[in-house]
Amino acid sequence: MLDAIWKYWPWAVVGLMAFAAFMLLRLLRGREQTPYSRRRRLVTRSELVFYRVLQDAVNNDWEIFAMVRIADLLSVPKGTDNHRSWLNKILSKHIDFVICDKDSLEVLAGIELDDPSHLQPARIQRDKFVNAAFDDAGLPLLRIPTADGYEVSAIRKMLDKVIE
């Protein structure tokens, strides 16, 4: 047995050196690189135009947040039948804008800016589901069609109506 060990010891040394080199390279290389790249904008150009008008309409009375996941606004109570299924339906969906109380950040209303993509059959189904979810949760959701321009006072009236 000792003869076999002495006979193959160079191979064992080479194997240990290769393993050490592999571990050293792995340590030096650091973590595995992810496939992600930076998105340049949080909102589309038309959403940005609306956001500027919304800022004027809010007039510092409330806070505005953009691109908020529905799962951060609505919850599925523990013990609900098919809990995970209901949660999955909202995890990857978001709302264009959310209006919150300035002091507590309590969510007061959601706003969806409806561009022409909302006329596609799949989007119509999504919008029906989102409308029902917000309605059932008791959270107002405003749907505002995209336009070339918006009237600040009209947006403010809509907000006042659903928030007050």
Side-chain angles (χ1 to χ4, degrees):
M1 170 99 167
L2 232 41
D3 288 337
I5 293 173
W6 284 109
K7 184 178 179 181
Y8 294 108
W9 75 266
W11 290 109
V13 170
V14 169
L16 280 172
M17 289 176 63
F19 179 74
F22 170 76
M23 294 304 286
L24 182 62
L25 282 174
R26 204 167 155 202
L27 181 66
L28 292 175
R29 187 171 35 159
R31 66 171 180 77
E32 180 181 345
Q33 188 169 355
T34 67
Y36 302 111
S37 63
R38 177 181 170 186
R39 291 180 71 179
R40 293 289 170 199
R41 296 174 175 264
L42 183 60
V43 295
T44 65
R45 290 188 192 281
S46 61
E47 289 167 340
L48 182 59
V49 168
F50 179 77
Y51 176 74
R52 299 288 183 227
V53 173
L54 186 57
Q55 283 179 311
D56 289 340
V58 163
N59 192 28
N60 249 359
D61 292 330
W62 303 297
E63 294 289 344
I64 305 167
F65 295 93
M67 304 307 267
V68 178
R69 280 185 332 150
I70 294 175
D72 293 326
L73 303 171
L74 308 179
S75 63
V76 182
K78 297 262 191 242
T80 300
D81 288 342
N82 300 314
H83 180 272
R84 189 67 194 180
S85 176
W86 286 110
L87 184 60
N88 287 341
K89 291 177 186 252
I90 61 173
L91 277 174
S92 62
K93 292 176 177 64
H94 68 272
I95 292 298
D96 294 327
F97 301 101
V98 174
I99 306 299
C100 293
D101 178 82
K102 199 167 191 60
D103 297 322
S104 67
L105 293 185
E106 174 190 352
V107 179
L108 302 173
I111 299 174
E112 276 283 80
L113 193 58
D114 290 346
D115 62 18
S117 72
H118 288 257
L119 299 174
Q120 297 171 1
R123 193 61 189 234
I124 290 170
Q125 286 303 112
R126 177 221 182 258
D127 290 348
K128 283 181 183 178
F129 170 78
V130 170
N131 290 348
F134 272 70
D135 190 45
D136 291 344
L139 182 59
L141 177 63
L142 289 172
R143 289 199 166 273
I144 300 174
T146 55
D148 292 332
Y150 303 92
E151 190 176 317
V152 172
S153 62
I155 301 297
R156 179 60 190 226
K157 282 181 187 175
M158 285 187 248
L159 289 170
D160 285 337
K161 184 177 178 181
V162 298
I163 291 175
E164 299 303 328

